Amino acid sequence: MPEPKIHGIIAYPVTPFGDNGIDTARLAALVDRLVADGVHAIAPLGSTGELAYLDEPESDAVVDTTIAAVAGRVPVVVGVSDVTTAKTIRRAKYAQEAGADAVMILPVSYWKLSEREIVQHYRSVGDAIGIPIMAYNNPATSGVDMGPELLVDMFETIDNVKMVKESTGDLSRMRRIAELSGGRLPFYNGSNPLVLDALQAGASGWCTAAPNLRPRPCIELYEAVRAGDLERASALYKDLKPLLEFIVAGGLATTVKAGLDLLGVPVGDPRRPLLPLDEEGRAELKNLLAG
């Protein structure tokens, strides 16, 4: 099976805030640095990018700034999730018109969605755009759990559903996606601590915020697995694992923004109700970054 266009380390930048809202200059610099460091794709407006806490003009500004900064060097996968289908369509159409290569959709809703409603949500967005959709399963944040059978069914029946980001941390789900689709449906690991096992199981890439803080070890881990050098991959994973576990446990936007600040790249605090990392957490993170 040929490697999909979107593969490898898919980096999730934070959304920097300044005194007057989004600091687009800082965002452009952060994205440019990630691309220069060698990541394989950029994914703005995920959980790390605080999409849920941005208004429409702000999310549009992140899309425009990111795509301009990437300048066609790597694919851009834009998070467009919203609680209504209409708003998700608006975000998806804006991303497509701005030049995104794909959109990522997490089915979020106040009410628990049935499978029929989930399918119609994705179908409606897919009918409105012409670029691929990455279906994002992360029940810990969305409250909606899409099993392998549903994801593969949408891949087979909705033209634009082309990829899956699996973030439950359950490796068996990734293997089941591969089995049910006959290896045709690319899946991507969204659970940072699971990355080594997921890549070995055939994940096409790793969707992660970690390159904001330590880009090269992330890239080298992916390359080592691809090269079949599992000894080196295991060593890189062992080195990265404490940091990966820390940023997940403390909340990605909170911990990654604190880490960037510690590295001399101030990007502002996360937006309320999220709070900045406390002093004890900053001290622990400082040690992890120094190690």
Side-chain angles (χ1 to χ4, degrees), residues 23-149:
D23 187 335
T24 54
R26 183 69 74 182
L27 174 60
L30 179 60
V31 168
D32 183 68
R33 190 191 72 172
L34 286 166
V35 176
D37 283 333
V39 302
H40 304 93
I42 296 289
L45 299 175
S47 302
T48 307
E50 299 179 72
L51 173 60
Y53 306 112
L54 305 182
D55 61 28
E56 298 295 298
E58 288 177 325
S59 65
D60 292 350
V62 171
V63 172
D64 293 337
T65 301
T66 301
I67 290 174
V70 170
R73 291 174 289 173
V74 296
V76 177
V77 183
V78 175
V80 299
S81 310
D82 207 300
V83 294
T84 70
T85 300
K87 289 183 179 179
T88 304
I89 288 173
R90 192 213 71 81
R91 291 180 188 266
K93 291 174 72 173
Y94 189 93
Q96 175 177 271
E97 291 163 5
D101 296 274
V103 296
M104 182 179 66
I105 300 175
L106 179 75
V108 292
S109 180
Y110 179 85
W111 296 104
K112 183 177 181 180
L113 300 178
S114 67
E115 287 196 0
R116 183 171 66 95
E117 290 166 330
I118 294 168
V119 170
Q120 186 57 56
H121 180 63
Y122 278 94
R123 191 183 306 281
S124 296
V125 181
D127 287 346
I129 61 174
I131 57 177
I133 293 170
M134 177 183 284
Y136 177 18
N137 187 48
N138 189 354
T141 57
S142 71
V144 178
D145 190 3
M146 298 185 290
E149 291 77 11

